[in-house]
Amino acid sequence: MSVLPSHARVVIIGGGAVGASALYHLAKAGWTDCVLLEKNELTAGSTWHAAGNVPTFSSSWSLMNMQRYSASLYRDLGDLVDYPMNYHVTGSIRLGHSKERLQEFKRVVGMGRYQGMDLDILSPDEMRSKYPFLETHDLTGALYDPYDGDIDPAQLTQALAKGARDMGAKIFRFCPATGARREGEEWVISTPQGEIRCEKVVNAAGYYAREVGKWFGREVPMMVMSHQYMLFEEIPELAAWSREAGHKLPLLRDVDSSYYLRQEKTGMNLGPYERNCKAHWVTPDDPMPDDFSFQLFPDDLDRLEWYLNDAVERVPILGTAGLSRMINGPIPYAPDGNPLIGPMPGVPNAYEACVFTFGICQAGGAGKVLAEWVTEGETEWDMWSCDPRRYTSFAADKDYCVAKGMEIYGHEYAMHFPKYAWPAGRDQKHSPIHDRIKALGAQFKPYNGWERANWYAAPGDDLSEQSTQTWNREGPWRPRIEAECRAVTEAAGILDLPGFSRFRVKGEGATAWLSSLITGKVPKPGRIGLAYFSDDKGRIVTEMSVMMLDEDFFFLITAATAQWHDFEWLQKHLPKGAAFTIDDVTESFSCQILSGPNSRAILADVTDADLSKGWLTHQSCQIAGRWCQLVRVSFAGELGWEIHTKIEDTPAIFDAVWAAGQKHGLKPFGMEALDSLRIEKGYRAWKGDLSTDYTILQGGLDRFVDWAKPDFKGKAALEREKQQGVTKRFVTLTVEAGDCDAPYMSTLWHGGKVVGETTSGNWGYRTGKSIALGMLKADLAVPGTEIEVEIYGDRFKAVVQPDGPLFDPNNERLRA
Ligand SMILES: Cc1cc2nc3c(=O)[nH]c(=O)nc-3n(C[C@H](O)[C@H](O)[C@H](O)COP(=O)(O)OP(=O)(O)OC[C@H]3O[C@@H](n4cnc5c(N)ncnc54)[C@H](O)[C@@H]3O)c2cc1C
């Protein structure tokens, strides 16, 4: 046995499919001085008992991208590393029982096509021709994924491991990591075979990731579910068909009933995601064992009975087969069901590649993404959907993780309708005026754990879950959102915005440092401005509002969900020995957005502030005898102020403004109305319109670039891009849409070709138009150009609008 080296550049903890893929991709990137520690044999964790399905389907662009990459890697991997594998590309059929499901499929077909994959919609006849044993009488259609298939997870892991070893990386089996400590700039990982020092460390410990995370002071947001599949004996009819056809049946997923059914040799494999599901290792009477290598939970057939009966009705030959074996193993779940891939929050040079629910089909892509994080500090594709920093401290709560994990597992294939707020794990964080806005009819949705009003219902409105099961614009919310927008436009509206992330930057040198990080100018004292942060490639990292209180003293304000991400970006760029400090003071403040032509009159009744101060100014003042900061900006695009308050003073200040507003027509409004109002102004939203998939120049943010500054992060790349010409451009489109506005990543068409994609879409009530923001090939990004937007499978005419806001293009209302 080889001896554990005393040092490696990277140590990966965990030798499942994901850890092996991370090692393989690090080695491929030239980082061969890497060591993987596995406490048992490779594949001893979830990878051992996985069914091995490899779908490309996802309604998330980035997950689809990752899975597409995996499937393509697996096709060639055997040859590449000289390790033949059982990988059957059988295709798959995903059954649809409703109009809404077909819409979902058509959207995914559009995204898939854009990623170069020929996904397709099948009619019942076409389904039967591919799958003759299928009952189709109650189906509306199906999605066909020709790239889907199944792989032997152990062989996949071994192949990745061989590839990594061949390139010089090292794997130590039966060598558990038992602890980690920081010494200087290094991590020291302890094992029974001695200590190993490294620059960087990766937690790829699967369902043990929480335990490993603790060594780093990190509470990994996760829980563990039991997932079972049933293996059936040979079905002679299937065996005969397969012999004749010369291939296996496509994999079947009945997503509305919630199971997959796969041909396994001449039998079948049925794997339900059952509603009556079971979490493990969450109660004292079911403690997590120190070692669960190559172990399973006891069979629990009762939970699966309904699904078995349903599958037999769907594929009657299954009813003739005897059950040969059950597999019941642990799967880790993050609260949204996506894995954690990227920097370990708050911990230097530590990374996560863990909590994979679909770690076989995602391992390939995940290895690529992880290796990029480690070697370059950034990824080719925007991977926010999997970024560990998308969860902040509230998600460390075990009960929250269990509630969300069970909800996701029990609805694994559910459609995620835009107006539905999933009920589990709610009420993590309340605004100080939560009860007041609840009494006004607020319909809540969580944003980084904070419950915010999405819209305000009136008595008698249909608030059932059923009413939300649609992709359509129309619904009980529509007249309410319209009225909220009208109030903001004609009188005034107030929106409670708890959890606006806020960082205080103070001390000598802060201004110069900030200027070196943002593309534009630092505002003067007393003023606020939007600032964009670019990476070295010129790509959009984030957007913050910079409020300069005094020389070298700022508040930086950013999206609720960006709290950890943005804070880390600032900290990462903090110069050694800086004389200034950065503090996250999010929890100490709250905010009300007061917007609309009457907002000045309302404030005049409650404050002695100078309300004649212009747009993009701020001032300290008193309301109801309490301090607050009045900031003259409006994401809604009307005359308005943000009222920033100390958390404890928020109720008194809200009450005073609310009371004063009554004679001025003040109404509450929610996040839905705000989104409609902002899209009419062309204001970008983070991680939709603004992401690392685009550069600052592609994003149309040229006017936020101060080329005259001697330097700023990303300047060289942006100068190069400017010189070479920008290939795609951010545009505002008006769309002659049908019942639905364009969701994220709807494809844009021109002359029979895909020429771009939407980054967000909504209805504009002031303009009476369906609006989409998106990225279009630069030569087409000319006002007046007619293109088409594909929305849930249908194409609608759209027209490129002049650069600038659609509503109030000269910002006269804002400046009023
Ligand atoms: C029944 C079942 C069916 C499934 N079917 C599919 C499917 O069809 N398709 C799909 O994509 N996914 C499927 N999954 C999910 C899939 O198995 C997991 O997502 C995937 O295996 C996760 O891989 P991993 O490498 O992250 O974790 P694991 O495979 O669990 O690997 C983690 C490794 O870390 C090791 N380890 C832990 N602690 C330490 C330590 N301290 N030191 C060293 N090593 C340590 C463990 O021994 C283990 O080998 C299924 C899961 C189950 C339970």
Side-chain angles (χ1 to χ4, degrees):
M1 198 160 82
S2 57
V3 177
L4 189 72
S6 61
H7 187 275
R9 208 159 176 201
V10 182
V11 168
I12 297 173
I13 301 172
V18 173
S21 178
L23 189 72
Y24 173 78
H25 283 89
L26 281 169
K28 228 178 125 207
W31 285 45
T32 51
D33 180 16
C34 297
V35 165
L36 184 150
L37 303 176
E38 164 54 50
K39 73 172 173 193
N40 195 285
E41 183 56 86
L42 291 178
T43 77
S46 293
T47 300
W48 166 57
H49 45 63
N53 305 330
V54 185
T56 64
F57 179 101
S58 174
S59 53
S60 148
W61 174 262
S62 45
L63 290 183
M64 179 190 262
N65 218 359
M66 209 160 70
Q67 293 171 190
R68 177 194 56 74
Y69 174 91
S70 296
S72 144
L73 171 72
Y74 300 168
R75 267 196 297 280
D76 302 330
L77 187 64
D79 288 343
L80 266 175
V81 304
D82 191 21
Y83 191 94
M85 276 181 289
N86 286 318
Y87 179 31
H88 311 111
V89 180
T90 57
S92 70
I93 298 178
R94 201 170 269 259
L95 307 179
H97 294 249
S98 65
K99 180 178 120 248
E100 289 73 23
R101 187 60 90 171
L102 255 271
Q103 287 176 291
E104 182 203 42
F105 288 171
K106 286 177 181 170
R107 172 161 183 248
V108 172
V109 166
M111 289 198 323
R113 195 191 303 112
Y114 200 19
Q115 293 196 10
M117 296 189 293
D118 263 331
L119 310 183
D120 208 354
I121 300 293
L122 302 182
S123 68
D125 282 348
E126 289 168 325
M127 290 178 223
R128 274 192 305 272
S129 79
K130 289 193 188 300
Y131 203 113
F133 308 107
L134 189 66
E135 282 297 327
T136 56
H137 62 278
D138 55 346
L139 301 175
T140 46
L143 179 135
Y144 181 61
D145 173 358
Y147 310 93
D148 206 329
D150 59 270
I151 198 161
D152 181 320
Q155 290 178 341
L156 168 67
T157 310
Q158 296 294 351
L160 290 163
K162 175 171 190 300
R165 280 192 191 108
D166 289 349
M167 287 183 271
K170 293 193 178 63
I171 295 177
F172 289 83
R173 297 171 300 132
F174 303 100
C175 183
T178 52
R181 65 175 194 278
R182 190 96 177 126
E183 270 188 17
E185 292 296 298
E186 286 183 325
W187 285 106
V188 184
I189 310 298
S190 44
T191 83
Q193 295 179 28
E195 290 187 338
I196 175 164
R197 292 169 178 271
C198 56
E199 280 171 42
K200 303 193 182 209
V201 59
V202 181
N203 178 356
Y207 49 77
Y208 278 107
R210 195 169 194 135
E211 281 52 46
V212 170
K214 285 192 170 78
W215 305 334
F216 300 87
R218 155 81 166 149
E219 283 292 333
V220 179
M222 64 174 287
M223 53 84 74
V224 176
M225 292 298 298
S226 119
H227 175 56
Q228 308 181 76
Y229 59 82
M230 295 170 258
L231 293 167
F232 293 86
E233 285 162 358
E234 170 162 318
I235 303 172
E237 227 178 318
L238 174 59
W241 178 87
S242 223
R243 238 187 342 265
E244 172 89 358
H247 57 80
K248 296 208 303 183
L249 281 171
L251 190 151
L252 196 74
R253 282 190 191 80
D254 191 332
V255 284
D256 294 315
S257 291
S258 194
Y259 57 77
Y260 54 84
L261 179 63
R262 193 178 90 196
Q263 181 175 345
E264 188 76 35
K265 300 201 172 90
T266 50
M268 284 193 148
N269 170 343
L270 175 67
Y273 290 95
E274 69 280 14
R275 281 284 162 91
N276 48 330
C277 50
K278 185 164 171 52
H280 266 292
W281 305 333
V282 290
T283 51
D285 59 344
D286 179 25
M288 188 174 196
D290 285 342
D291 190 6
F292 202 67
S293 304
F294 296 114
Q295 291 184 55
L296 294 172
F297 300 126
D299 300 349
D300 189 353
L301 193 55
D302 289 352
R303 286 197 339 244
L304 308 188
E305 202 178 324
W306 183 90
Y307 300 87
L308 178 55
N309 292 337
D310 192 81
V312 167
E313 280 182 33
R314 183 64 55 207
V315 181
I317 55 165
L318 180 64
T320 65
L323 179 64
S324 63
R325 202 175 161 210
M326 285 191 54
I327 302 286
N328 185 0
I331 301 196
Y333 269 75
D336 60 3
N338 290 354
L340 304 173
I341 318 172
M344 189 184 291
V347 185
N349 286 343
Y351 299 82
E352 288 173 343
C354 51
V355 199
F356 280 77
T357 298
F358 293 103
I360 305 306
C361 67
Q362 292 172 351
K368 165 185 154 62
V369 171
L370 187 277
E372 288 168 354
W373 273 123
V374 169
T375 60
E376 297 170 40
E378 59 192 12
T379 54
E380 179 189 353
W381 314 315
D382 190 283
M383 287 306 299
W384 180 240
S385 60
C386 301
D387 194 312
R389 297 166 297 185
R390 70 192 186 278
Y391 287 107
T392 58
S393 46
F394 77 95
D397 178 45
K398 268 196 182 152
D399 293 341
Y400 169 77
C401 294
V402 171
K404 289 308 287 182
M406 298 216 18
E407 181 179 65
I408 296 277
Y409 179 96
H411 300 83
E412 187 57 74
Y413 297 127
M415 290 176 271
H416 291 262
F417 295 110
K419 296 293 187 290
Y420 184 56
W422 289 88
R426 297 291 298 276
D427 296 310
Q428 296 297 318
K429 293 191 263 185
H430 276 184
S431 147
I433 57 161
H434 182 85
D435 292 344
R436 286 168 173 77
I437 62 171
K438 190 172 176 190
L440 293 170
Q443 300 304 303
F444 292 99
K445 221 176 193 177
Y447 294 75
N448 188 24
W450 291 96
E451 296 288 338
R452 286 183 182 167
N454 244 18
W455 61 284
Y456 285 82
D461 281 352
D462 178 3
L463 301 176
S464 64
E465 178 184 339
Q466 188 53 34
S467 72
T468 63
Q469 303 300 292
T470 177
W471 307 109
N472 287 1
R473 180 186 314 121
E474 204 57 58
W477 50 81
R478 174 113 203 260
R480 306 294 163 229
I481 296 171
E482 181 166 16
E484 291 169 29
C485 291
R486 199 176 324 116
V488 172
T489 314
E490 295 173 2
I494 189 161
L495 184 146
D496 180 37
L497 201 69
F500 221 174
S501 306
R502 178 191 297 254
F503 315 126
R504 183 175 46 210
V505 184
K506 196 172 181 189
E508 197 188 324
T511 309
W513 168 76
L514 191 59
S515 179
S516 72
L517 275 192
I518 66 174
T519 59
K521 288 190 167 66
V522 177
K524 299 261 174 299
R527 294 192 62 82
I528 182 165
L530 267 186
Y532 290 89
F533 293 72
S534 157
D535 65 13
D536 288 328
K537 295 186 172 135
R539 304 182 304 174
I540 304 165
V541 173
T542 191
E543 170 202 76
M544 299 191 211
S545 294
V546 176
M547 198 194 295
M548 195 183 210
L549 298 169
D550 210 339
E551 203 50 54
D552 284 336
F553 181 15
F554 303 94
F555 274 138
L556 304 183
I557 296 170
T558 184
T561 46
Q563 187 182 0
W564 279 11
H565 173 278
D566 284 9
F567 192 64
E568 282 204 10
W569 186 261
L570 297 174
Q571 291 228 306
K572 184 173 152 186
H573 293 95
L574 195 64
K576 272 214 165 76
F580 58 91
T581 52
I582 311 172
D583 297 302
D584 183 339
V585 293
T586 302
E587 308 278 335
S588 308
F589 294 89
S590 196
C591 180
Q592 307 295 310
I593 290 188
L594 178 68
S595 230
N598 294 352
S599 42
R600 180 176 280 127
I602 295 169
L603 285 179
D605 284 351
V606 293
T607 173
D608 56 356
D610 177 1
L611 299 174
S612 67
K613 279 193 164 193
W615 187 38
L616 303 179
T617 61
H618 60 87
Q619 57 187 306
S620 282
C621 67
Q622 300 266 315
I623 294 179
R626 274 121 169 136
W627 171 90
C628 65
Q629 188 85 12
L630 276 189
V631 184
R632 177 85 195 272
V633 289
S634 169
F635 202 48
E638 299 287 346
L639 170 70
W641 282 265
E642 287 176 2
I643 309 171
H644 295 258
T645 53
K646 287 186 188 153
I647 203 112
E648 62 276 17
D649 294 335
T650 307
I653 290 175
F654 173 81
D655 287 347
V657 175
W658 180 249
Q662 292 315 298
K663 65 175 189 283
H664 297 288
L666 181 65
K667 296 273 186 280
F669 72 110
M671 299 300 288
E672 290 281 354
L674 185 64
D675 193 66
S676 163
L677 295 161
R678 70 95 196 169
I679 207 166
E680 289 179 309
K681 294 295 292 179
Y683 295 158
R684 280 73 155 171
W686 191 61
K687 289 304 175 195
D689 311 305
L690 301 170
S691 79
T692 51
D693 282 335
Y694 308 114
T695 68
I696 296 277
L697 298 184
Q698 289 170 343
L701 301 169
D702 316 41
R703 68 181 185 286
F704 294 96
V705 180
D706 179 10
W707 296 108
K709 279 201 295 192
D711 200 13
F712 59 84
K713 193 168 175 66
K715 187 178 182 196
L718 289 169
E719 274 178 341
R720 247 188 334 269
E721 188 185 9
K722 193 174 167 204
Q723 216 166 39
Q724 287 163 0
V726 180
T727 52
K728 49 185 172 180
R729 271 281 180 192
F730 181 85
V731 287
T732 299
L733 301 165
T734 54
V735 189
E736 290 177 19
D739 296 334
C740 310
D741 302 308
Y744 176 64
M745 282 292 164
S746 302
T747 43
L748 305 180
W749 290 79
H750 185 263
K753 289 206 177 95
V754 176
V755 289
E757 69 275 2
T758 61
T759 50
S760 60
N762 204 344
W763 184 263
Y765 290 93
R766 290 177 297 201
T767 50
K769 289 190 164 71
S770 181
I771 301 166
L773 306 182
M775 289 289 169
L776 186 60
K777 274 183 72 197
D779 56 331
L780 294 171
V782 179
T785 306
E786 284 187 15
I787 57 167
E788 287 176 312
V789 185
E790 182 176 322
I791 303 177
Y792 298 108
D794 294 320
R795 293 197 209 162
F796 298 91
K797 193 177 130 185
V799 179
V800 177
Q801 298 302 305
D803 189 21
L806 205 56
F807 178 75
D808 186 24
N810 297 323
N811 292 330
E812 282 157 15
R813 298 172 72 94
L814 270 176
R815 296 174 202 269

